[in-house]
Every structure is written in C-alpha cells, then in structure tokens.
Amino acid sequence: MNHDHDKPVVALTLGDPAGIGAELVARLLADPQTTARANVVLVGDPWLWQSGQAIAGMRVECAPVSSLAAVRARPGNGRPAFLAMDTVRRDEVRPAQADAAGGASVLAVLDACMDAALRGEIDAICFAPLSKHAMKLAGMRHEDELHHFAEHLGVTGYFCEFNTLGELWTSRVSSHVPLKDAPALLTRERIVEAARLIYRSLQANGVAEPKVAVAALNPHGGEGGTCGREEIDIIEPAVRELNASGIPVDGPFPADTIFLKARDGQYQAIVTMYHDQGQIAIKLLGFANGVTVQGGLPIPITTPAHGTAYDIAGQGRADVNATANAFAIAARMARAYRDSRALAG
C-alpha cells in the first residue's frame, strides 16, 4: 500500500470560528495540489469543518485519525487526515464577533499542534486567520500569537514575524508595540539577528543566496546625521557586522524607496525597523496574496497575512490565494527543516 512517509506532515487549523478560516480551509483542501505537497492533517471541531465546507459550497473527504502521532504512518490515499477536537460549541460562536470562546478554541487547537511538533509528530503548522483580541479575551498574556508560540515551544533565541509576498520577504526589528517604544528596541544586535534569521529562512524556502536589504529608520536615511543618528550609530555598524560574518546585506536605504528596488527584483528580503514600515508596502503591493511566516521557531508556522475578515464571514466570498501561498511555504520549509534535523541527528 502507498504511504506518505516521504512527505512532510503539515497540520492545518480552522482559525477563529467566527471568521472566514473554515471556508478558506475547505477551498484549500478541495485543491488536489494541497495533498500532493504534504501529508496534511486538519485539526479542529467537526461542526466548524462542516460549516466551512457548506459556506464554500464544496465537500472534502477526510480520513479520521485518533491522534497526531498516527498521521505520519497512515496510508497515502490522497485524502487529508482529520483529527477531531471539541473546543467550542456552535451556540458559543457569534458570527463576525471576537469572543473569548473563539479565542480559547484557537489556543486549544494550536497548543495541541505545538505539543505534537515538540514530540516530532508533525513538521509544520499552517493556521487559518485568528483574532488576537479574541485570544487575549481567552487569557493569552502575550502581545501576539508569535510570542505565545515562542513560549510554548521553549524558544530562547531571537524570533520575529516575516511578511512575504511572492518572492519578497520582510522581517522587522520591532513588531506589535506602540510606535513610541519602537526606537528603544532598535539595537545593533536585534538588526543582526533579524537579518541573519530571514537570510537562513529564505535558504530553507529554496533561495540559495538571498539578496537582503536593510531599511533606514529616519526620513531620507537620516541625511548624514542631520535628521537622526540611528543610521550612523546603530544600523550601519550592524550592516558591517553582518557582512563581516558572512551574511551579505546592503543598506541602510531610505524606507520610502527600498521597496521600489525590491518590487523590481533587486532584493528578496528587506529588514525593516518597525511594524508599519514594511507592512504598508507589502499590503499595498498585494494584500490578497501575502503570507506571515513565524520566524525563529523550531518548526515552520505560517498563516495568510490578512485577518479574520469578519465583514465577509459566512458569505462564501473568501479568497483562498493567501492561504494557498501560506500552505505552500509551510510544506516547502517543513521539508527543509525535517531534512536538516535528520542531518543533525
């Protein structure tokens, strides 16, 4: 009997139950390319999965499994596995509303997947859009899901969120913090770590020699120190340190022009200094197709960059492109991470 042993195991989750996640997953799994890329296991509540299929107007046959440990050895029959969990009742979910019940559901499913990853049972996670607000209502103590993942997975090194659009990836030195706090987080060490991490992550995504640029913080790159000294005192020394250590990067470049070079293919990655510096550019270039990659974790975790889209939840109008891109990156990186673990072990 044919087995899926050579394929990485990717766990797929349904996201916030009040949003468009279940519909997106139905559209994704209806495409045979999805199960061709990986040994897929869907994790979530059966009623929510049924609802997502109904909203999308498509039926996807899944093979039930009793645990995530059973997925890797299951017969390869082209069907995704499905691990049923009981995390939230239908009557607890108000469509298009961020509620504690939905946030608790998301946390329960993602924590189960991360526990399986720590046991070596899965190789990557791709999650449908969630609501940070709902997760905080449910008790998440962190500013975002990435910090929750890092704590749960025992990460002690540098980690950051990557936003990607096609061939272009961005990392950032500070993330979900008030803008007034961002300059204090701008250090040479954090810039070096952000650049090193995105360089190695792109290699895991199949880019042999990534071309990386570093953005400036101040208007016009500080204008030689007359419009801010962060470039001279912090960013330029970080660029020199990176190049000396064998990570080739260029910059710093003024943030209002570097994305033009990247759009035209000159760079595959940009290290930005704070959240909106990269997010505005990426979302303007292609909001419907962007992917968020959780960088610096022991396994790849990806998600579409758009949110729960409460305004169109339940209408059957959700665009699957970003979810398909997120899944493809998870599967590609899962193989690279798995192979590197095998070499190390």
Side-chain angles (χ1 to χ4, degrees):
M1 185 176 283
N2 177 37
H3 286 263
D4 278 344
H5 290 164
D6 61 323
K7 293 180 185 175
V9 177
V10 179
L12 187 59
T13 77
L14 297 168
D16 188 291
I20 58 172
E23 175 192 347
L24 289 171
V25 171
R27 295 187 190 282
L28 177 70
L29 290 180
D31 182 352
Q33 274 297 310
T34 302
T35 48
R37 285 192 169 103
N39 184 352
V40 184
V41 55
L42 176 60
V43 185
D45 291 70
W47 74 264
L48 183 57
W49 173 224
Q50 293 297 332
S51 172
Q53 292 174 83
I55 293 166
M58 45 194 61
R59 173 107 182 109
V60 181
E61 289 292 334
C62 294
V65 289
S66 58
S67 70
L68 289 170
V71 177
R72 204 179 294 279
R74 74 189 182 98
N77 52 18
R79 290 191 296 167
F82 179 50
L83 176 66
M85 289 186 67
D86 181 19
T87 68
V88 64
R89 297 192 316 271
R90 186 190 293 265
D91 63 14
E92 292 179 296
V93 177
R94 294 183 296 168
Q97 295 280 330
D99 283 324
S105 168
V106 167
L107 286 165
V109 171
L110 288 173
D111 288 357
C113 291
M114 287 191 289
D115 290 340
L118 290 170
R119 295 191 298 265
E121 295 165 2
I122 65 172
D123 300 308
I125 300 168
C126 178
F127 63 91
L130 46 74
S131 164
K132 293 176 181 61
H133 179 54
M135 293 163 74
K136 288 173 182 175
L137 289 174
M140 182 175 75
R141 303 185 310 279
H142 299 286
E143 64 197 48
D144 55 29
E145 66 273 19
L146 173 57
H147 285 76
H148 176 75
F149 296 155
E151 181 184 88
H152 200 98
L153 294 168
V155 174
T156 56
Y158 184 83
F159 56 89
C160 74
E161 200 172 83
F162 303 141
N163 288 97
T164 81
L165 182 69
E167 302 299 311
L168 175 61
W169 288 42
T170 66
S171 65
R172 50 188 184 245
V173 177
S174 66
S175 190
H176 296 115
V177 298
L179 185 58
K180 66 179 176 59
D181 297 339
L185 294 169
L186 187 67
T187 65
R188 193 184 80 223
E189 293 77 15
R190 289 176 67 87
I191 295 167
V192 167
E193 293 288 358
R196 185 176 287 138
L197 185 55
I198 202 166
Y199 186 87
R200 290 175 177 164
S201 297
L202 271 166
Q203 288 182 318
N205 196 48
V207 181
E209 295 180 2
K211 294 183 175 63
V212 180
V214 177
L217 174 70
N218 294 298
H220 307 158
E223 293 187 347
T226 63
C227 193
R229 288 196 54 87
E230 283 84 359
E231 287 73 22
I232 295 169
D233 296 340
I234 301 170
I235 305 174
E236 288 172 8
V239 169
R240 289 195 294 270
E241 181 179 335
L242 283 158
N243 288 327
S245 71
I247 304 289
V249 301
D250 296 338
F253 297 109
D256 59 354
T257 55
I258 185 54
F259 279 91
L260 300 175
K261 298 177 190 289
R263 180 196 63 188
D264 296 338
Q266 197 168 332
Y267 293 102
Q268 280 116 15
I270 299 175
V271 179
T272 64
M273 298 299 110
Y274 58 92
H275 183 279
D276 283 4
Q277 192 177 57
Q279 284 290 77
I280 291 170
I282 285 280
K283 290 187 175 181
L284 190 60
L285 286 169
F287 181 75
N289 297 312
V291 174
T292 300
V293 179
Q294 313 290 341
L297 306 181
I299 65 160
I301 302 182
T302 69
T303 190
H306 60 70
T308 51
Y310 287 147
D311 56 322
I312 61 166
Q315 298 177 23
R317 295 167 44 206
D319 185 334
V320 77
N321 282 344
T323 305
N325 293 341
F327 183 83
I329 290 174
R332 198 156 50 235
M333 292 184 74
R335 196 177 292 275
Y337 275 52
R338 185 193 62 184
D339 293 348
S340 68
R341 281 199 306 270
L343 287 171

